[in-house]
Amino acid sequence: MMSLPGTFACDEYGRPFIVLRDQENQKRLTGNEAIKSHITAAKQIASIIRSSLGPKGLDKMMVSGDGEVTVTNDGATIMKLMDVDHEIGKLMVQLSQSQDDEIGDGTTGVVVLAGALLEQAESLLDRGIHPIRIADGFELAAQCAVKHLDTIAHPFPVSRENKEPLVRVAMTTLGSKIVNKCHRQMAEIAVDAVLTVADLEKKDVNFELIKLECKVGGRMEDTCLVKGVVIDKTMSHSQMPNVLKDVKLAILTCPFEPPKPKTKHKLDVTSADDYRKLREYEQEKFLQMVKQVKDAGATLAICQWGFDDEANHLLLQQKLPAVRWVGGPEIELIAIATGGRIVPRFEELSPDKLGTAGVVRELSFGTTKDKMLVIEGCQNTRAVTVLIRGGNQMVTAEAKRSIHDALCVVRSLIRDSRIVYGGGAAEISCSLAVAREADQLSTLEQYAFRAFSVALESIPLALAENSGLSPIETLSELKSRQGTENSPSFGVDCMLTGNSDMKDHHVIESLHSKKQQIVLATQLVKMILKIDDVRTPADH
């Protein structure tokens, strides 16, 4: 017997009822009232994020409790940083997060679509249609829309030789981001990075091999792709050479310094002689370590831990360049790139465990002492680093998010290389298809179908609104053109060029991303429509 939230009793006619514990301290929303409250919360969140949709979408500035500022128009980032109290609001945040995890792009669109679906559901509820019927109707309409997307999708050439199509898709993704002034360059960097790492036979991309490194200073145009690893470290001693050719790397995760007596042992140094002996012993031990590294054939030591200045000086004397304090993930990346093995103990060092690199050089930035190390010409050329530059930390952080979105889109195209047209074109086409389907239905679900069709129009409407066009006029014209000319590539002309054919503008989105948006938004809406009773403590 499961424990009830209160006591079970029967009235004089034998009808059972439950007397709830602490009932006077609880707030309760039931039936349509509960659903309406959810819909209002979701609509509010969707309206906040709606204005950042599309190439003319505006950014949002979030200030955290400790005064850290983030400026972004990446839907998932906005949602994550927003302080949302309402439970349904939290579900919307998770919705954009799951779109981000699955595809990486389209995080704003999915929230706007969910908000529009709920808005439509509200008017259907007012007509007296049961929420479950609405939810089921939406589910069928979503299936119909996804099927229709398959029919209007185009195959898309993905090859290393012809990068242009991929660059165009990446440019569509970056069009709505802060980096759109060096739009093409960023798109090319993203495509090059993915193609370097991609396995086109298996149709997969290992993101572990692509590292995004930000460095403040310089212009955004100075962002570059390094075929190798960039680490934010320098040689441990300023007099060590800053360019090394044909390097053999020893990658160490053991402390590179003379053995220290453990704290629980006591070491008495009673005379100067003893001290000298101890020093000589330490020096001898350390030189032995350096000799072990050099005997293995290494010309550069990369160490996860630090070593003191005395050790540093001895390394310089012994002409063994070294880098200290290299973090765990970077050590792994260096090991993958150079084909080396990570060595946990000096005794295990052997020539076959060393990594190889063509060049290790220091990059210096501007007039400051800021330097970074680049390891290039590696044995495994598939590890790449995108070095992002920008005027301040906010710009580089937003550029990093934008490039991540572009990388994700190129990756999803390598996985499934079919595409649909952007600019709201795919949504209008689906909306028309769902509306056509609604006319064939004789059941109540036709209302849900029509509502779904209207909700899909919210994306082109928001795009037109954000671009300063008259939303309703633009949408009506596009719908009639798509209907009469039977071409699913007419979308919102956000750049005001006078041409609405997205094929000419090369505004392309991956089919997988669009499908995912419709499916995820519908699932969330179904779930919200099925909640009809909410209990919260009254102080909430």
Side-chain angles (χ1 to χ4, degrees):
M1 170 81 182
M2 96 187 199
S3 65
L4 289 163
T7 20
F8 188 70
C10 293
D11 63 7
E12 64 268 34
Y13 298 113
R15 285 182 302 216
F17 61 91
I18 296 173
V19 182
L20 283 169
R21 250 181 258 132
D22 302 332
Q23 188 152 2
E24 71 284 357
N25 300 335
Q26 290 193 349
K27 269 200 318 196
R28 182 174 183 195
L29 278 174
T30 53
N32 277 4
E33 218 174 277
I35 297 179
K36 288 268 177 73
S37 134
H38 302 334
I39 289 176
T40 313
K43 267 170 33 184
Q44 265 175 334
I45 285 193
S47 70
I48 290 172
I49 214 165
R50 191 185 161 113
S51 62
S52 65
L53 186 72
K56 297 276 177 78
L58 303 173
D59 291 6
K60 307 270 175 272
M61 179 188 270
M62 257 78 62
V63 185
S64 69
D66 50 6
E68 196 179 314
V69 179
T70 309
V71 177
T72 178
N73 82 358
D74 177 43
T77 312
I78 297 174
M79 301 288 274
K80 206 163 38 190
L81 297 174
M82 253 169 28
D83 200 0
V84 181
D85 266 350
H86 198 283
E87 295 68 31
I88 299 300
K90 288 181 182 150
L91 289 177
M92 298 286 271
V93 173
Q94 287 165 3
L95 168 73
S96 73
Q97 203 50 54
S98 61
Q99 173 78 12
D100 200 32
D101 296 343
E102 184 68 22
I103 308 287
D105 187 35
T107 45
T108 312
V110 73
V111 177
V112 172
L113 183 58
L117 280 170
L118 285 167
E119 202 171 321
Q120 291 303 316
E122 191 171 22
S123 61
L124 293 180
L125 285 170
D126 291 342
R127 288 185 178 181
I129 301 177
H130 192 280
I132 297 293
R133 296 295 293 266
I134 300 174
D136 291 348
F138 277 175
E139 174 70 14
L140 290 169
Q143 285 171 8
C144 168
V146 167
K147 256 198 223 109
H148 178 68
L149 277 175
D150 278 335
T151 61
I152 61 168
H154 292 274
F156 188 77
V158 170
S159 70
R160 286 201 164 90
E161 291 70 53
N162 181 12
K163 294 185 205 161
E164 189 55 32
L166 284 171
V167 171
R168 284 179 178 154
V169 181
M171 280 169 69
T172 305
T173 303
L174 294 169
S176 61
K177 306 278 193 275
I178 195 171
V179 297
N180 62 3
K181 68 181 174 80
C182 41
H183 203 155
R184 176 156 196 106
Q185 178 194 353
M186 295 291 186
E188 283 174 1
I189 286 175
V191 171
D192 284 345
V194 173
L195 285 178
T196 308
V197 196
D199 185 336
L200 292 181
E201 278 72 59
K202 284 190 193 156
K203 294 198 163 193
D204 198 24
V205 178
N206 180 2
F207 268 1
E208 296 284 305
L209 297 173
I210 301 177
K211 188 158 168 274
L212 300 176
E213 187 74 58
C214 295
K215 195 74 177 164
V216 173
R219 301 172 309 158
M220 213 187 281
E221 287 86 348
D222 297 338
T223 301
C224 60
L225 180 71
V226 177
K227 296 275 173 75
V229 186
V230 177
I231 46 175
D232 202 352
K233 296 277 175 280
T234 54
M235 294 292 181
S236 59
H237 198 294
S238 54
Q239 288 170 359
M240 286 178 182
N242 44 17
V243 177
L244 297 168
K245 297 264 170 65
D246 300 327
V247 190
K248 293 260 187 284
L249 296 103
I251 304 170
L252 307 169
T253 54
C254 40
F256 200 0
E257 49 190 16
K260 300 267 186 284
K262 299 281 180 285
T263 42
K264 56 186 174 207
H265 299 303
K266 192 158 153 253
L267 184 70
D268 283 336
V269 179
T270 48
S271 64
D273 236 15
D274 283 3
Y275 181 72
R276 209 169 292 121
K277 271 187 193 149
L278 176 68
R279 228 185 123 218
E280 276 166 15
Y281 164 75
E282 282 194 346
Q283 197 161 351
E284 186 187 329
K285 270 290 185 202
F286 186 68
L287 286 172
Q288 193 182 331
M289 284 181 180
V290 177
K291 189 171 180 310
Q292 273 176 321
V293 175
K294 291 193 79 162
D295 285 351
T299 53
L300 172 66
I302 289 189
C303 192
Q304 188 171 7
W305 307 110
F307 29 82
D308 52 23
D309 290 343
E310 188 184 353
N312 207 356
H313 182 66
L314 283 167
L315 282 169
L316 181 68
Q317 277 182 349
Q318 297 294 320
K319 294 196 168 52
L320 178 64
V323 185
R324 54 184 165 182
W325 299 123
V326 180
E330 284 148 345
I331 279 245
E332 284 174 23
L333 203 62
I334 292 170
I336 293 170
T338 59
R341 299 281 290 280
I342 297 175
V343 181
R345 284 200 302 274
F346 279 99
E347 294 76 53
E348 294 181 17
L349 250 178
S350 60
D352 57 327
K353 290 188 176 169
L354 299 180
T356 52
V359 184
V360 175
R361 59 193 172 90
E362 277 186 355
L363 284 178
S364 56
F365 297 108
T367 53
T368 54
K369 289 196 306 231
D370 247 359
K371 291 194 169 65
M372 284 171 115
L373 269 188
V374 184
I375 302 173
E376 287 176 312
C378 305
Q379 182 182 345
N380 177 0
T381 50
R382 290 179 48 203
V384 294
T385 305
V386 180
L387 184 59
I388 301 164
R389 307 299 307 278
N392 58 22
Q393 200 242 327
M394 278 186 318
V395 172
T396 53
E398 175 62 356
K400 184 175 180 177
R401 281 189 288 271
S402 312
I403 289 179
H404 178 261
D405 277 9
L407 292 172
C408 291
V409 168
V410 179
R411 173 197 188 179
S412 72
L413 271 175
I414 285 176
R415 286 185 161 176
D416 176 353
S417 60
R418 288 171 302 165
I419 52 125
V420 290
Y421 289 102
E427 279 85 357
I428 297 174
S429 184
C430 285
S431 162
L432 291 169
V434 172
R436 276 198 300 274
E437 190 66 27
D439 298 339
Q440 312 300 317
L441 291 174
S442 56
T443 53
L444 252 185
E445 271 78 16
Q446 59 172 298
Y447 284 100
F449 264 68
R450 289 210 179 88
F452 195 92
S453 145
V454 174
L456 280 170
E457 293 170 1
S458 66
I459 300 246
L461 276 174
L463 282 174
E465 203 174 313
N466 294 345
S467 309
L469 297 160
S470 144
I472 306 288
E473 279 175 30
T474 310
L475 182 67
S476 322
E477 185 197 343
L478 289 172
K479 277 174 73 174
S480 81
R481 284 189 70 181
Q482 278 212 18
T484 51
E485 298 176 34
N486 200 11
S487 157
S489 61
F490 284 114
V492 180
D493 174 23
C494 296
M495 290 310 184
L496 315 179
T497 54
N499 178 5
S500 310
D501 195 340
M502 293 294 131
K503 209 182 243 179
D504 300 348
H505 290 311
H506 304 296
V507 177
I508 312 169
E509 296 192 48
S510 92
L511 170 70
H512 189 40
S513 163
K514 269 284 164 277
K515 277 186 178 175
Q516 197 70 20
Q517 276 188 8
I518 292 175
V519 171
L520 287 177
T522 313
Q523 276 175 357
L524 179 78
V525 170
K526 268 184 69 175
M527 192 167 111
I528 292 175
L529 286 173
K530 286 185 176 175
I531 304 171
D532 79 327
D533 194 341
V534 184
R535 306 189 149 272
T536 42
D539 53 2
H540 232 32

